[in-house]
Amino acid sequence: MDKSQYEKYLGDRWHINISKNEGVRIVDGQLVLKNGDKKVPIVNSIPRFVERENYADNFGLQWNKFRSTQLDSYMGKPVTADRFWKNTKWAPAEIKGKAMLEAGSGAGRFTEIMLGAGAKLASFDYSNAVEANFKNNAHKGDLFLFQGDLFDIPFDDKQFDFVFCYGVLQHTPDPEKAFYAIEKKLKPGGKISIDVYHKDGKIRPWKSKYIWRPITTKIDPQKLLKFLKYFIPVWLPFDTAIKLIPVLRNYLGAVIPCWNYFYMDLSLKEKVEWAVMDTFDVLAAKYDIPMTMADVDRWFKNCGYTNYEVFEGSNGIVGNGIKP
Ligand SMILES: C[S@@+](CC[C@H](N)C(=O)[O-])C[C@H]1O[C@@H](n2cnc3c(N)ncnc32)[C@H](O)[C@@H]1O
């Protein structure tokens, strides 16, 4: 990012001290709040508004190890694009040239879609997954990427035309507060789309994680990942057989955790890679707090929305709204 991008997003509150640049791109340096309150290092072209190590380290490990796995451009299939457009119900033409905020971008599979549609995108993640996103997407459009915490976003309120946040709220210590924290960055008349894991009281294969998480969240993430890289390729054929048995799959499948995408149009190699990655994702994440439809409905009402919808989407509950 160059100096003008910093100024565009952060306003004039910060001094920018540059210690290394490549052309106009600032590679290393420091942002200093003009009132002297805060210093933010810029490392590897990314400003770091949070400690480099934090509760989302497992995600940093995951997204840097599986940097491209879920990117449509890598797979050559519109898996993420389909999820994005189907769930947000936005159209490419309406986000073109608009100011968008993406909270919790991981390796940037959705970043790629929004940049591809011509959005002016500010995107961040709490973990060093931002390094993966930088490698994947920095060259693909108008992107202001930073390492930051959604509970302390360094922008003015009501700054964005669109706010997008998928797969993130449940992985924070307080999904409801997290929703309010990102929602307040949206302009009146702007659109927000979030999704969050669904708490519905039913027994389902993916809920096997809750049996194991009390143990797996205490294991060193490197060791857990090593184990899954060995275990998943061996277990996947058995898991697929179980998940093809009607009714029983919900119960048998709910014992051994395995994120099995047997129903998707992926090669065997991709199925294994996605299964290792997403099984690690759900077993290692420090927080996993699913929500009910009524919870999400209440969040929108509490923010004064009248034009919104809450429905079962591709990966849990989706909430879409237009800010009053
Ligand atoms: C399951 S990943 C989803 C990533 C991406 N949205 C996707 O769907 O590919 C959840 C992400 O939320 C990020 N996250 C968790 N807490 C956060 C916070 N307080 N602020 C910003 N990002 C956070 C994690 O670091 C992680 O990359």
Side-chain angles (χ1 to χ4, degrees), residues 48 79 95 114 152-153 172 175 184:
R48 318 288 177 145
V79 175
I95 70 173
M114 289 178 267
D152 189 17
I153 301 171
T172 70
K184 68 183 184 185

mmCIF file of all heavy atoms in Angstrom, residues 48 79 95 114 152-153 172 175 184:
data_model
loop_
_atom_site.group_PDB
_atom_site.id
_atom_site.type_symbol
_atom_site.label_atom_id
_atom_site.label_comp_id
_atom_site.label_asym_id
_atom_site.label_seq_id
_atom_site.Cartn_x
_atom_site.Cartn_y
_atom_site.Cartn_z
ATOM 1 N N ARG A 48 0.374 -3.483 11.536
ATOM 2 C CA ARG A 48 -0.047 -4.470 12.554
ATOM 3 C C ARG A 48 -0.607 -3.727 13.759
ATOM 4 O O ARG A 48 0.143 -3.257 14.605
ATOM 5 C CB ARG A 48 1.154 -5.321 13.005
ATOM 6 C CG ARG A 48 2.079 -5.780 11.895
ATOM 7 C CD ARG A 48 1.437 -6.852 11.060
ATOM 8 N NE ARG A 48 2.325 -7.229 9.955
ATOM 9 C CZ ARG A 48 2.420 -8.456 9.487
ATOM 10 N NH1 ARG A 48 1.695 -9.423 9.972
ATOM 11 N NH2 ARG A 48 3.234 -8.716 8.478
ATOM 12 N N VAL A 79 -16.262 -21.931 -6.308
ATOM 13 C CA VAL A 79 -16.898 -22.404 -5.071
ATOM 14 C C VAL A 79 -17.179 -21.230 -4.129
ATOM 15 O O VAL A 79 -18.285 -21.067 -3.608
ATOM 16 C CB VAL A 79 -15.988 -23.446 -4.372
ATOM 17 C CG1 VAL A 79 -16.572 -23.863 -3.027
ATOM 18 C CG2 VAL A 79 -15.782 -24.655 -5.270
ATOM 19 N N ILE A 95 -21.297 -3.568 -6.167
ATOM 20 C CA ILE A 95 -20.139 -3.372 -5.285
ATOM 21 C C ILE A 95 -18.946 -2.743 -6.026
ATOM 22 O O ILE A 95 -17.997 -2.299 -5.406
ATOM 23 C CB ILE A 95 -19.720 -4.663 -4.535
ATOM 24 C CG1 ILE A 95 -19.102 -5.706 -5.445
ATOM 25 C CG2 ILE A 95 -20.867 -5.249 -3.771
ATOM 26 C CD1 ILE A 95 -18.538 -6.894 -4.650
ATOM 27 N N MET A 114 -14.273 -10.062 -3.951
ATOM 28 C CA MET A 114 -14.667 -8.643 -3.898
ATOM 29 C C MET A 114 -13.738 -7.786 -4.760
ATOM 30 O O MET A 114 -14.196 -6.890 -5.468
ATOM 31 C CB MET A 114 -14.677 -8.174 -2.439
ATOM 32 C CG MET A 114 -15.844 -8.795 -1.673
ATOM 33 S SD MET A 114 -15.904 -8.329 0.067
ATOM 34 C CE MET A 114 -15.004 -9.650 0.828
ATOM 35 N N ASP A 152 -11.700 -3.455 17.660
ATOM 36 C CA ASP A 152 -10.991 -2.174 17.723
ATOM 37 C C ASP A 152 -10.521 -1.789 16.310
ATOM 38 O O ASP A 152 -9.327 -1.708 16.035
ATOM 39 C CB ASP A 152 -9.793 -2.336 18.683
ATOM 40 C CG ASP A 152 -9.126 -1.020 18.990
ATOM 41 O OD1 ASP A 152 -9.752 0.032 18.739
ATOM 42 O OD2 ASP A 152 -7.975 -1.034 19.470
ATOM 43 N N ILE A 153 -11.479 -1.573 15.436
ATOM 44 C CA ILE A 153 -11.174 -1.290 14.018
ATOM 45 C C ILE A 153 -10.710 0.169 13.899
ATOM 46 O O ILE A 153 -11.406 1.067 14.378
ATOM 47 C CB ILE A 153 -12.422 -1.551 13.138
ATOM 48 C CG1 ILE A 153 -12.871 -3.017 13.297
ATOM 49 C CG2 ILE A 153 -12.128 -1.248 11.675
ATOM 50 C CD1 ILE A 153 -14.208 -3.341 12.650
ATOM 51 N N THR A 172 -14.907 -15.467 17.800
ATOM 52 C CA THR A 172 -14.490 -14.387 18.702
ATOM 53 C C THR A 172 -15.051 -14.695 20.093
ATOM 54 O O THR A 172 -15.992 -15.494 20.222
ATOM 55 C CB THR A 172 -15.043 -13.027 18.230
ATOM 56 O OG1 THR A 172 -16.466 -13.017 18.442
ATOM 57 C CG2 THR A 172 -14.743 -12.773 16.765
ATOM 58 N N PRO A 175 -19.668 -13.101 19.992
ATOM 59 C CA PRO A 175 -20.198 -12.864 18.640
ATOM 60 C C PRO A 175 -21.148 -11.674 18.553
ATOM 61 O O PRO A 175 -21.146 -10.951 17.551
ATOM 62 C CB PRO A 175 -20.916 -14.174 18.308
ATOM 63 C CG PRO A 175 -20.257 -15.197 19.164
ATOM 64 C CD PRO A 175 -19.852 -14.505 20.431
ATOM 65 N N LYS A 184 -21.141 -0.963 13.099
ATOM 66 C CA LYS A 184 -21.085 0.510 13.253
ATOM 67 C C LYS A 184 -20.167 1.162 12.221
ATOM 68 O O LYS A 184 -20.162 2.387 12.077
ATOM 69 C CB LYS A 184 -20.736 0.908 14.685
ATOM 70 C CG LYS A 184 -19.360 0.588 15.142
ATOM 71 C CD LYS A 184 -19.219 0.995 16.613
ATOM 72 C CE LYS A 184 -17.782 0.760 17.042
ATOM 73 N NZ LYS A 184 -17.527 0.976 18.410
#
